[in-house]
């Protein structure tokens, strides 16, 4: 089973204070990383991503995740060197912070659905994806753009490659069973899940191996604060 946790930020100003108090329980290197993010909203989303991930790992595995050290791959993908059996990935956009945890490699992406210039698709999408996209009109085309975008990005994030890899080197295929990837050897080994989130957001997940059940859970900041306050006392 793949566990996907998402949290919707309410009031940035008020909640930032709650997050500031929670970061006190996180390891020193996390503080150092967060301090380098000068934009307060980005710093808040990033801190919440770290805290949400610890919450997710603790709920799924029972590990006390508050003090776990995070390591980084060559292109910045975070992972737990001390627990290589636990795979996770984080994404944030606008009001959402999302995190997926599983026992297989994965990547996740969330994006706010907004007006786009479809020239971007000509630049980044494969020929087949562009044909599928342009066959749609209006809101359907805009929404499908973000479906494709988030799926492609989540695959890149699963590989941990970021933009060091060409986005048109693989293709998202949609059929009656859902989505799959083709075009290169590793893509075929990944399964895809995609859904919209309230407030006009799209979220997609690519994970290694055959299709698994996706357990989607929405959390509130209150639940996270409660778990970590409890964890501190153990
Ligand atoms: C990290 C990257 C892969 C995604 O960045 P993004 O979409 O801006 O950000 P997201 O919110 O989805 O993900 C950020 C999180 O992913 C994780 N991350 C960082 N580097 C990563 C990597 N190489 N692989 C996987 N995950 C990574 C981190 O947890 C990061 O959180 P942090 O910023 O709080 O530390 C980045 O390389 C990037 O620039 N993406 C390209 C965007 C683009 O043009 N996409 C076109 C899609 S069609």
């Amino acid at each position: 089973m793949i566990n996907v946790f998402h949290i919707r930020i309410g009031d940035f100003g008020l909640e930032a204070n709650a997050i500031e108090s929670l970061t006190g329980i996180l390891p020193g290197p996390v503080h150092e990383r967060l301090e380098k993010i000068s934009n307060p909203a980005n710093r808040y989303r990033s801190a919440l991503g770290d805290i949400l991930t610890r919450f997710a790992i603790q709920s799924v595995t029972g590990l006390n995740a508050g003090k776990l050290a995070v390591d980084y791959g060559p292109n910045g993908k975070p992972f737990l060197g001390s627990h290589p059996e636990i795979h996770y990935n984080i994404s944030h956009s606008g009001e959402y912070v999302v995190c997926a945890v599983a026992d297989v490699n994965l990547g996740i992406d969330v994006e706010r659905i907004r007006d786009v210039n479809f020239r971007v698709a000509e630049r980044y999408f494969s020929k087949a994806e562009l044909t599928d996209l342009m066959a749609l009109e209006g809101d359907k085309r805009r929404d499908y753009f973000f479906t494709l975008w988030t799926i492609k990005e989540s695959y890149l994030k699963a590989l941990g490659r970021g933009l060091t890899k060409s986005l048109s080197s693989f293709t998202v295929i949609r059929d009656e069973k859902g989505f799959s990837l083709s075009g290169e050897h590793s893509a075929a080994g990944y399964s895809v899940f995609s859904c919209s989130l309230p407030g006009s957001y799209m979220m997609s997940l690519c994970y290694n191996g055959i299709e698994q059940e996706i357990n989607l859970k929405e959390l509130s900041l209150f639940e996270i604060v409660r778990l970590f306050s409890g964890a501190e006392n153990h």
Side-chain angles (χ1 to χ4, degrees):
M1 183 193 288
I2 313 280
N3 288 282
V4 179
F5 294 82
H6 56 99
I7 184 163
R8 193 170 178 183
I9 299 163
D11 183 321
F12 266 91
L14 279 177
E15 294 182 6
N17 290 334
I19 289 297
E20 287 292 327
S21 64
L22 272 186
T23 54
I25 64 163
L26 300 176
V30 178
H31 292 268
E32 285 161 31
R33 186 181 68 78
L34 293 173
E35 272 165 20
K36 287 184 194 141
I37 306 173
S38 53
N39 177 305
N42 288 343
R43 188 166 61 242
Y44 173 50
R45 276 187 279 262
S46 195
L48 194 51
D50 188 285
I51 290 168
L52 177 66
T53 302
R54 288 167 196 275
F55 177 98
I57 291 171
Q58 191 153 322
S59 338
V60 171
T61 66
L63 265 173
N64 183 343
K67 297 284 178 199
L68 283 180
V70 175
D71 298 298
Y72 296 92
N75 295 300
K77 183 174 183 179
F79 67 98
L80 298 175
S82 57
H83 291 277
E85 73 286 5
I86 303 172
H87 296 264
Y88 74 90
N89 198 226
I90 302 167
S91 181
H92 33 73
S93 171
E95 298 162 78
Y96 277 95
V97 178
V98 303
C99 162
V101 179
D103 58 2
V104 292
N105 184 37
L106 48 70
I108 192 165
D109 189 49
V110 63
E111 291 288 339
R112 187 171 61 80
I113 298 171
R114 53 200 186 268
D115 287 335
V116 283
N117 180 343
F118 292 105
R119 288 237 171 103
V120 174
E122 286 170 20
R123 186 161 163 213
Y124 290 114
F125 292 178
S126 73
K127 228 172 156 185
E129 288 166 343
L130 197 58
T131 305
D132 288 350
L133 181 72
M134 291 317 204
L136 301 170
E137 285 179 11
D139 285 356
K140 282 193 176 153
R141 184 190 288 177
R142 189 197 56 184
D143 291 356
Y144 194 53
F145 173 91
F146 283 100
T147 301
L148 288 172
W149 180 287
T150 54
I151 293 174
K152 289 176 85 66
E153 181 111 4
S154 67
Y155 174 59
L156 294 185
K157 292 183 74 184
L159 299 185
R161 297 273 298 271
L163 284 186
T164 62
K165 180 170 179 57
S166 160
L167 283 162
S168 53
S169 64
F170 60 97
T171 291
V172 178
I173 298 163
R174 177 163 68 167
D175 60 23
E176 62 286 350
K177 283 186 274 170
F179 297 100
S180 57
L181 301 178
S182 77
E184 59 177 21
H185 180 66
S186 64
Y190 277 78
S191 296
V192 178
F193 171 81
S194 188
C195 70
S196 56
L197 292 175
S200 213
Y201 286 81
M202 199 64 78
M203 177 176 75
S204 297
L205 176 69
C206 272
Y207 55 95
N208 197 222
I210 56 166
E211 209 174 303
Q212 294 198 40
E213 190 185 332
I214 307 293
N215 179 28
L216 269 182
K217 187 161 167 48
E218 182 174 5
L219 291 169
S220 67
L221 191 58
F222 174 70
E223 287 170 277
I224 294 179
V225 170
R226 199 176 47 185
L227 181 104
F228 276 104
S229 310
E232 258 188 308
N233 298 329
H234 285 101

